[in-house]
Short mmCIF file of all heavy atoms in Angstrom, two decimals:
data_model
loop_
_atom_site.label_atom_id
_atom_site.label_comp_id
_atom_site.label_asym_id
_atom_site.label_seq_id
_atom_site.Cartn_x
_atom_site.Cartn_y
_atom_site.Cartn_z
N ASP A 245 -0.24 -10.58 -2.46
CA ASP A 245 -0.88 -11.85 -1.90
C ASP A 245 -1.01 -11.80 -0.39
O ASP A 245 -1.37 -12.78 0.25
CB ASP A 245 -0.14 -13.04 -2.37
CG ASP A 245 1.37 -13.01 -1.93
OD1 ASP A 245 1.72 -12.08 -1.17
OD2 ASP A 245 2.08 -13.94 -2.38
N ASP A 246 -0.62 -10.60 0.26
CA ASP A 246 -0.62 -10.51 1.69
C ASP A 246 -0.82 -9.10 2.11
O ASP A 246 -0.19 -8.14 1.51
CB ASP A 246 0.78 -11.04 2.23
CG ASP A 246 0.84 -10.95 3.81
OD1 ASP A 246 0.24 -11.76 4.46
OD2 ASP A 246 1.36 -9.95 4.29
N VAL A 247 -1.73 -8.78 2.99
CA VAL A 247 -2.05 -7.40 3.36
C VAL A 247 -0.89 -6.77 3.99
O VAL A 247 -0.67 -5.52 3.89
CB VAL A 247 -3.32 -7.31 4.26
CG1 VAL A 247 -4.55 -7.75 3.57
CG2 VAL A 247 -3.09 -8.15 5.64
N ARG A 248 -0.06 -7.52 4.73
CA ARG A 248 1.09 -6.78 5.30
C ARG A 248 2.14 -6.33 4.35
O ARG A 248 2.69 -5.34 4.51
CB ARG A 248 1.81 -7.77 6.38
CG ARG A 248 2.87 -7.06 7.08
CD ARG A 248 3.49 -7.95 8.27
NE ARG A 248 2.32 -8.03 9.28
CZ ARG A 248 2.11 -7.08 10.26
NH1 ARG A 248 2.76 -5.94 10.22
NH2 ARG A 248 1.13 -7.21 11.10
N LYS A 249 2.27 -7.18 3.30
CA LYS A 249 3.18 -6.63 2.15
C LYS A 249 2.75 -5.37 1.56
O LYS A 249 3.41 -4.46 1.23
CB LYS A 249 3.32 -7.71 1.13
CG LYS A 249 4.11 -9.03 1.59
CD LYS A 249 4.07 -9.99 0.44
CE LYS A 249 4.76 -11.37 0.89
NZ LYS A 249 4.69 -12.42 -0.23
N ALA A 250 1.29 -5.34 1.29
CA ALA A 250 0.69 -4.17 0.74
C ALA A 250 0.89 -2.96 1.66
O ALA A 250 1.25 -1.85 1.20
CB ALA A 250 -0.67 -4.39 0.42
N GLY A 251 0.65 -3.15 2.98
CA GLY A 251 0.80 -2.04 3.88
C GLY A 251 2.26 -1.50 4.05
O GLY A 251 2.55 -0.47 4.02
N ASP A 252 3.20 -2.47 4.00
CA ASP A 252 4.59 -2.05 3.95
C ASP A 252 5.01 -1.36 2.70
O ASP A 252 5.88 -0.49 2.76
CB ASP A 252 5.41 -3.33 4.10
CG ASP A 252 5.38 -4.04 5.61
OD1 ASP A 252 4.80 -3.31 6.46
OD2 ASP A 252 5.75 -5.19 5.76
N ALA A 253 4.28 -1.73 1.65
CA ALA A 253 4.68 -1.05 0.40
C ALA A 253 4.30 0.41 0.35
O ALA A 253 4.90 1.26 -0.23
CB ALA A 253 4.00 -1.90 -0.78
N VAL A 254 3.16 0.78 1.03
CA VAL A 254 2.75 2.11 1.12
C VAL A 254 3.84 2.88 1.77
O VAL A 254 4.31 3.93 1.43
CB VAL A 254 1.44 2.13 1.93
CG1 VAL A 254 1.12 3.56 2.18
CG2 VAL A 254 0.32 1.54 1.03
N ALA A 255 4.23 2.42 3.10
CA ALA A 255 5.30 3.12 3.67
C ALA A 255 6.54 3.24 2.94
O ALA A 255 7.36 4.21 3.02
CB ALA A 255 5.55 2.45 5.12
N ALA A 256 6.93 2.10 2.19
CA ALA A 256 8.19 2.11 1.42
C ALA A 256 8.11 3.15 0.35
O ALA A 256 9.14 3.79 0.00
CB ALA A 256 8.39 0.65 0.87
N VAL A 257 6.95 3.36 -0.30
CA VAL A 257 6.97 4.31 -1.42
C VAL A 257 7.24 5.77 -0.79
O VAL A 257 7.98 6.53 -1.36
CB VAL A 257 5.60 4.30 -2.00
CG1 VAL A 257 5.31 5.53 -2.91
CG2 VAL A 257 5.37 3.07 -2.92
N ILE A 258 6.59 6.05 0.34
CA ILE A 258 6.80 7.42 0.88
C ILE A 258 8.25 7.45 1.45
O ILE A 258 8.85 8.55 1.27
CB ILE A 258 5.84 7.60 2.07
CG1 ILE A 258 4.38 7.48 1.59
CG2 ILE A 258 5.94 9.03 2.71
CD1 ILE A 258 3.99 8.46 0.41
N ALA A 259 8.72 6.44 2.03
CA ALA A 259 10.21 6.44 2.53
C ALA A 259 11.13 6.64 1.39
O ALA A 259 12.23 7.25 1.59
CB ALA A 259 10.41 5.13 3.21
N ALA A 260 10.78 6.27 0.07
CA ALA A 260 11.77 6.40 -1.00
C ALA A 260 11.72 7.96 -1.54
O ALA A 260 12.35 8.24 -2.51
CB ALA A 260 11.25 5.49 -2.09
N GLY A 261 10.94 8.85 -0.79
CA GLY A 261 11.00 10.16 -1.23
C GLY A 261 9.90 10.40 -2.30
O GLY A 261 10.09 11.48 -2.91
N ILE A 262 9.00 9.59 -2.54
CA ILE A 262 8.10 9.73 -3.67
C ILE A 262 6.77 10.19 -3.01
O ILE A 262 6.21 9.59 -2.11
CB ILE A 262 7.81 8.43 -4.37
CG1 ILE A 262 9.10 7.85 -4.85
CG2 ILE A 262 6.74 8.57 -5.53
CD1 ILE A 262 9.05 6.40 -5.47
N ILE A 263 6.14 11.24 -3.56
CA ILE A 263 4.81 11.73 -3.11
C ILE A 263 3.85 11.49 -4.35
O ILE A 263 3.72 12.30 -5.20
CB ILE A 263 4.77 13.15 -2.63
CG1 ILE A 263 5.80 13.36 -1.58
CG2 ILE A 263 3.39 13.56 -2.13
CD1 ILE A 263 5.47 12.62 -0.33
N PRO A 264 3.23 10.28 -4.40
CA PRO A 264 2.25 10.14 -5.60
C PRO A 264 1.13 11.09 -5.46
O PRO A 264 0.72 11.65 -4.49
CB PRO A 264 1.84 8.73 -5.31
CG PRO A 264 2.78 8.12 -4.25
CD PRO A 264 3.18 9.27 -3.47
N ALA A 265 0.47 11.24 -6.65
CA ALA A 265 -0.73 12.09 -6.82
C ALA A 265 -1.82 11.46 -5.97
O ALA A 265 -2.68 12.14 -5.42
CB ALA A 265 -1.11 12.44 -8.19
N GLY A 266 -1.79 10.08 -5.97
CA GLY A 266 -2.85 9.25 -5.18
C GLY A 266 -2.20 7.95 -4.72
O GLY A 266 -1.36 7.38 -5.60
N LEU A 267 -2.51 7.49 -3.68
CA LEU A 267 -2.01 6.18 -3.14
C LEU A 267 -3.07 5.52 -2.41
O LEU A 267 -3.26 5.85 -1.17
CB LEU A 267 -0.74 6.41 -2.35
CG LEU A 267 -0.01 5.14 -1.85
CD1 LEU A 267 0.13 4.09 -2.88
CD2 LEU A 267 1.36 5.49 -1.22
N GLU A 268 -3.84 4.64 -2.94
CA GLU A 268 -4.95 3.98 -2.37
C GLU A 268 -4.81 2.57 -2.23
O GLU A 268 -4.11 1.93 -2.93
CB GLU A 268 -6.26 4.31 -3.22
CG GLU A 268 -6.55 5.84 -3.33
CD GLU A 268 -7.12 6.43 -2.13
OE1 GLU A 268 -8.14 6.05 -1.56
OE2 GLU A 268 -6.63 7.42 -1.62
N MET A 269 -5.53 2.02 -1.19
CA MET A 269 -5.34 0.57 -0.96
C MET A 269 -6.87 -0.05 -0.72
O MET A 269 -7.75 0.57 -0.14
CB MET A 269 -4.70 0.31 0.40
CG MET A 269 -4.39 -1.11 0.75
SD MET A 269 -3.33 -1.16 2.16
CE MET A 269 -3.32 -2.96 2.58
N MET A 270 -7.04 -1.20 -1.32
CA MET A 270 -8.36 -1.91 -1.08
C MET A 270 -8.08 -3.33 -0.74
O MET A 270 -7.21 -3.96 -1.33
CB MET A 270 -9.24 -1.84 -2.36
CG MET A 270 -9.85 -0.46 -2.69
SD MET A 270 -10.88 -0.40 -4.10
CE MET A 270 -9.66 -0.24 -5.33
N ASP A 271 -8.90 -3.91 0.24
CA ASP A 271 -8.69 -5.31 0.49
C ASP A 271 -9.53 -6.11 -0.44
O ASP A 271 -10.29 -5.74 -1.25
CB ASP A 271 -8.89 -5.58 2.00
CG ASP A 271 -10.45 -5.43 2.40
OD1 ASP A 271 -11.20 -5.11 1.52
OD2 ASP A 271 -10.74 -5.63 3.48
N LYS A 272 -9.43 -7.51 -0.29
CA LYS A 272 -10.02 -8.42 -1.21
C LYS A 272 -11.59 -8.32 -1.20
O LYS A 272 -12.20 -8.39 -2.35
CB LYS A 272 -9.51 -9.92 -0.86
CG LYS A 272 -9.91 -10.88 -1.95
CD LYS A 272 -9.28 -12.28 -1.59
CE LYS A 272 -9.54 -13.23 -2.70
NZ LYS A 272 -8.77 -14.53 -2.38
N PRO A 273 -12.25 -8.16 -0.04
CA PRO A 273 -13.67 -8.05 -0.20
C PRO A 273 -14.13 -6.80 -0.96
O PRO A 273 -15.11 -6.95 -1.65
CB PRO A 273 -14.15 -8.05 1.35
CG PRO A 273 -13.03 -8.78 2.04
CD PRO A 273 -11.70 -8.48 1.27
N MET A 274 -13.40 -5.86 -0.73
CA MET A 274 -13.83 -4.50 -1.47
C MET A 274 -13.54 -4.63 -2.87
O MET A 274 -14.34 -4.17 -3.65
CB MET A 274 -13.06 -3.42 -0.88
CG MET A 274 -13.35 -2.02 -1.42
SD MET A 274 -15.08 -1.61 -1.32
CE MET A 274 -15.24 -1.09 0.42
#
């Protein structure tokens, strides 16, 4: 419900030592 939370989640996934096969983000207009 907030773009900052989504952005922080991206960094948190990588910081947890996880390398996803794909990690994409889209905002509400898209």
